[in-house]
Amino acid sequence: RHIADFGGDPERLVVMGESAGGLLAAVAAQRARDQNGPTLSAQVLFYPAIDLDAQTGSRIEFADGPILGTETARAMLSTYLGDAANAASALASPNRARSLAGLPPALVVSAQCDPLRDEGEAYGRAMQDAGVHTRIVRLPGMVHGAYNLSAFVPRVEEFNRATVDFLLPLLQRSPETA
């Protein structure tokens, strides 16, 4: 409602998050769709936690990390859930929404060596199947949390490049509206 007060453009809103923040961004996109706004131009999800009860190959393969292990992820997400029964809610596991149709375009960036990799990519494919313009990018050799490690991981630029390449055509204004 007040974005213009801060120099923002209400016609070019994007939600973005990583890990648990990716979960929150995915839920925000669904709620914006279901509750009549605001209209989002896109959603950007970096290695999102999407299904809090997921039993995936990457959760098994990277149970001990690096950086984030499966049990640590579960413990962190249980703080968000409160009661474990809440994991069945689409507000906790956005892949459980009745429909993914009508969501804003999505970029899902996964890290190869991450227990959350498979659920994020599966969510991206589910959005594609629902007709949502979705790009899924897996960054080889990357680990969960790499985006926050830019001082130590020079390849963080790959996250930025994927984001710019995805968002630029969605957010560019024509010369008449600039």
Side-chain angles (χ1 to χ4, degrees):
R1 225 179 287 168
H2 299 282
I3 190 168
D5 298 344
F6 300 96
D9 183 346
E11 302 299 316
R12 297 188 294 172
L13 295 175
V14 175
V15 291
M16 180 174 173
E18 64 167 324
S19 190
L23 178 152
L24 296 175
V27 169
Q30 289 182 16
R31 292 191 73 185
R33 175 201 62 190
D34 297 344
Q35 296 175 1
N36 300 314
T39 300
L40 300 176
S41 296
Q43 55 183 314
V44 177
L45 313 174
F46 287 172
Y47 38 78
I50 291 296
D51 183 345
L52 303 190
D53 277 338
Q55 301 298 319
T56 64
S58 62
R59 284 200 182 201
I60 294 165
E61 183 179 0
F62 300 105
D64 297 322
I67 307 294
L68 177 72
T70 300
E71 289 309 312
T72 302
R74 280 196 183 110
M76 294 166 91
L77 292 169
S78 71
T79 303
Y80 173 63
L81 286 177
D83 182 345
N86 291 330
S89 166
L91 295 174
S93 296
N95 64 314
R96 295 173 189 235
R98 281 187 292 246
S99 172
L100 300 178
L103 288 173
L107 170 65
V108 178
V109 180
S110 66
Q112 178 186 4
C113 305
D114 180 2
L116 303 182
R117 179 194 69 212
D118 292 348
E119 66 198 78
E121 292 176 1
Y123 186 64
R125 288 188 300 276
M127 285 190 287
Q128 288 172 335
D129 291 345
V132 176
H133 168 64
T134 304
R135 183 177 302 159
I136 302 166
V137 176
R138 180 187 291 185
L139 297 179
M142 289 290 205
V143 298
H144 187 89
Y147 191 68
N148 282 320
L149 301 172
S150 60
F152 308 103
V153 181
R155 288 183 52 213
V156 141
E157 175 58 29
E158 293 174 42
F159 287 92
N160 295 331
R161 177 59 28 214
T163 303
V164 168
D165 289 348
F166 182 73
L167 290 178
L168 195 59
L170 295 173
L171 299 178
Q172 276 185 323
R173 292 185 167 272
S174 66
E176 307 83 54
T177 61

